[in-house]
Amino acid sequence: MSDKYTFPLACFLLIELLLLLFPCESTARPEFSALQNSPCWKCHVNPLGGGERNATGFFAGKNLGLESTTEYLNAKFKDFGDFDPMIADKIQLGADVRVLWDYLVYHNNDLPENLKQGENSTFQFMQGQFYLDAQVLPVFQAVGGYDVANNTYEAYGLFDHLPAGIYAKIGRFILPFGLRLDDHTVYTRSAMGFGPLSQDTGIEAGIRPGPFFLTAALTNGSLGNNSPDRTGHYYSVTGQTGVRFWKMGLGLSGFHNNIESLVNNTYGAWATFGFWKIALLGEFDYQEQETQIEPTATAVTPAASPKVRLRPGSAAFTEAEIELIRGLLAQLRYTHWDPNWEKAETFEDQTMAGLLFYPIPYFSTTLQYKFNRRPADQDRNASEVTALAHFYF
């Protein structure tokens, strides 16, 4: 195996070994419900996590603030904590609003002045997602979510609370692949095609007997395209299975997408574990893209049969978080992406260290330092400081 794959795979396997040796209770956070070693559907309307929170998730988010702050606000305001997202009987609202400040400094100072990229800083409206959920029947919900920051949406009907944890949803939704992280800079999400803007239209169904789950989705394969969905021979099939036991979680994912001359096959493995006040998680994804190349015909030579070009690639991440005190967590992460294994030094990676802080209920702020590295284009190597404000309920 090439050296450029050794480090990310070693990081992932090291975390797997540590977690097998030291399994314990993990830090409870609604953003990463998998780290709690409890099913995602305990806190989210979506059976595989992410998006709108249910009553349990709302209660968990309400109790994430610093203990001293919460006690002070409870004493000062009699109605503190009385907020209820239920706007009517069986109708619930939800929201995720994220605003990012980003400061980027490129490292190469040897370039001529006219080519230097220098420093960049900006505010970005990362997410403005608002949810509406109607419990039409005990086993049926109508769920909708619109992101005003990115002009994207999810909307589906959900049949749930059936025997053996059977569920089905029909509509437009994020595909059930891998760990659904909210940070799109982690390469296993956007680089693999499963980022926050990759909603697809179709049907998803699954079963969750005890600690196991198995789910599959058949969708049209447009992956975030808001234009009319069925244009050409598009389709995708996504599947995921997993189990939680002994305070650990293990899962496998698969994805096949056919878009006329392009075939995309992606396979992934993920894990979440915890011990003491430390939460660990990781994922490794392998992707093959098959492209048909049509040979050019001439007046003398007819066109030959189409050739198939296969491009293998991968993405991975490992992350550790430790709860310093209630409402304050330290973060460490490494994420790696190689879009083409056949070429040397095509990979990119990012190393991150940060703090996640919940000063009051329904609000968090994250301060992170990231080092972005591109060996094939060292002019793009950069240090990045980000500050993220997240409002949610």
Side-chain angles (χ1 to χ4, degrees):
M1 180 179 292
S2 172
D3 291 341
K4 67 179 180 178
Y5 315 130
T6 303
F7 183 65
L9 281 173
C11 288
F12 183 77
L13 294 174
L14 177 60
I15 282 187
E16 305 294 303
L17 177 61
L18 288 172
L19 293 166
L20 287 170
L21 293 175
F22 303 105
C24 291
E25 200 65 46
S26 80
T27 303
R29 295 207 295 119
E31 290 89 345
F32 296 114
S33 59
L35 293 178
Q36 302 177 39
N37 198 44
S38 62
C40 301
W41 54 88
K42 293 293 185 182
C43 288
H44 291 273
V45 173
N46 181 11
L48 290 189
E52 184 183 9
R53 298 158 188 85
N54 57 24
T56 302
F58 173 75
F59 179 79
K62 176 182 176 180
N63 289 278
L64 279 174
L66 285 175
E67 190 170 0
S68 57
T69 304
T70 303
E71 290 177 354
Y72 169 78
L73 293 173
N74 270 314
K76 186 173 180 62
F77 301 100
K78 293 181 180 179
D79 59 349
F80 179 76
D82 288 347
F83 174 70
D84 188 346
M86 301 296 296
I87 59 173
D89 185 30
K90 301 185 184 302
I91 299 179
Q92 177 178 317
L93 290 177
D96 279 299
V97 178
R98 289 179 169 89
V99 178
L100 177 74
W101 177 77
D102 182 87
Y103 179 70
L104 191 67
V105 180
Y106 290 93
H107 289 179
N108 193 344
N109 293 318
D110 298 327
L111 294 172
E113 288 296 327
N114 63 328
L115 296 179
K116 285 185 178 180
Q117 300 184 73
E119 303 176 6
N120 297 307
S121 64
T122 185
F123 283 96
Q124 299 179 45
F125 188 21
M126 296 295 294
Q127 184 183 26
Q129 188 97 17
F130 297 93
Y131 312 103
L132 181 64
D133 168 31
Q135 188 78 49
V136 182
L137 295 171
V139 296
F140 176 70
Q141 294 169 263
V143 182
Y146 179 68
D147 186 348
V148 299
N150 299 292
N151 190 29
T152 60
Y153 66 93
E154 288 187 88
Y156 54 87
L158 173 64
F159 296 90
D160 204 353
H161 311 295
L162 300 172
I166 294 173
Y167 79 90
K169 60 183 182 182
I170 304 172
R172 182 178 172 89
F173 45 82
I174 298 274
L175 295 179
F177 188 98
L179 295 174
R180 184 169 169 176
L181 306 177
D182 57 359
D183 187 343
H184 69 277
T185 66
V186 178
Y187 292 122
T188 55
R189 300 311 294 168
S190 295
M192 291 286 103
F194 306 108
L197 310 182
S198 59
Q199 297 87 355
D200 212 3
T201 302
I203 182 169
E204 175 185 322
I207 185 169
R208 299 159 293 177
F212 299 93
F213 75 89
L214 174 66
T215 187
L218 176 63
T219 56
N220 60 28
S222 61
L223 294 179
N225 187 351
N226 284 336
S227 62
D229 285 325
R230 193 72 181 180
T231 55
H233 303 291
Y234 293 13
Y235 70 88
S236 68
V237 179
T238 312
Q240 186 167 188
T241 186
V243 61
R244 294 191 178 278
F245 67 100
W246 199 36
K247 302 184 183 301
M248 301 189 301
L250 301 171
L252 298 172
S253 305
F255 173 74
H256 171 81
N257 191 16
N258 179 63
I259 307 178
E260 295 179 341
S261 61
L262 175 65
V263 176
N264 181 348
N265 293 303
T266 308
Y267 312 96
W270 57 261
T272 63
F273 306 82
F275 60 93
W276 189 46
K277 294 186 177 182
I278 298 175
L280 304 175
L281 66 162
E283 182 175 341
F284 180 83
D285 299 333
Y286 172 76
Q287 186 175 79
E288 288 183 346
Q289 293 186 339
E290 300 178 10
T291 307
Q292 287 189 3
I293 302 174
E294 297 288 344
T296 303
T298 65
V300 179
T301 306
S305 301
K307 296 181 179 180
V308 176
R309 177 178 177 270
L310 180 66
R311 188 179 73 174
S314 64
F317 89 97
T318 58
E319 183 168 329
E321 298 193 7
I322 180 168
E323 184 182 37
L324 304 177
I325 59 174
R326 172 179 157 177
L328 179 63
L329 299 95
Q331 303 174 311
L332 290 173
R333 182 201 302 147
Y334 174 79
T335 182
H336 179 277
W337 178 44
D338 189 346
N340 192 347
W341 283 12
E342 296 175 342
K343 294 184 178 180
E345 295 191 336
T346 57
F347 71 91
E348 305 175 18
D349 61 16
Q350 181 189 88
T351 306
M352 181 275 287
L355 290 172
L356 174 62
F357 182 40
Y358 292 88
I360 60 174
Y362 315 121
F363 173 71
S364 69
T365 182
T366 308
L367 181 64
Q368 295 177 338
Y369 168 78
K370 302 175 182 178
F371 175 64
N372 304 293
R373 185 169 65 114
R374 296 186 181 184
D377 185 6
Q378 296 188 20
D379 297 341
R380 302 292 301 278
N381 289 351
S383 290
E384 186 177 9
V385 176
T386 64
L388 177 72
H390 179 204
F391 308 89
Y392 63 88
F393 66 87

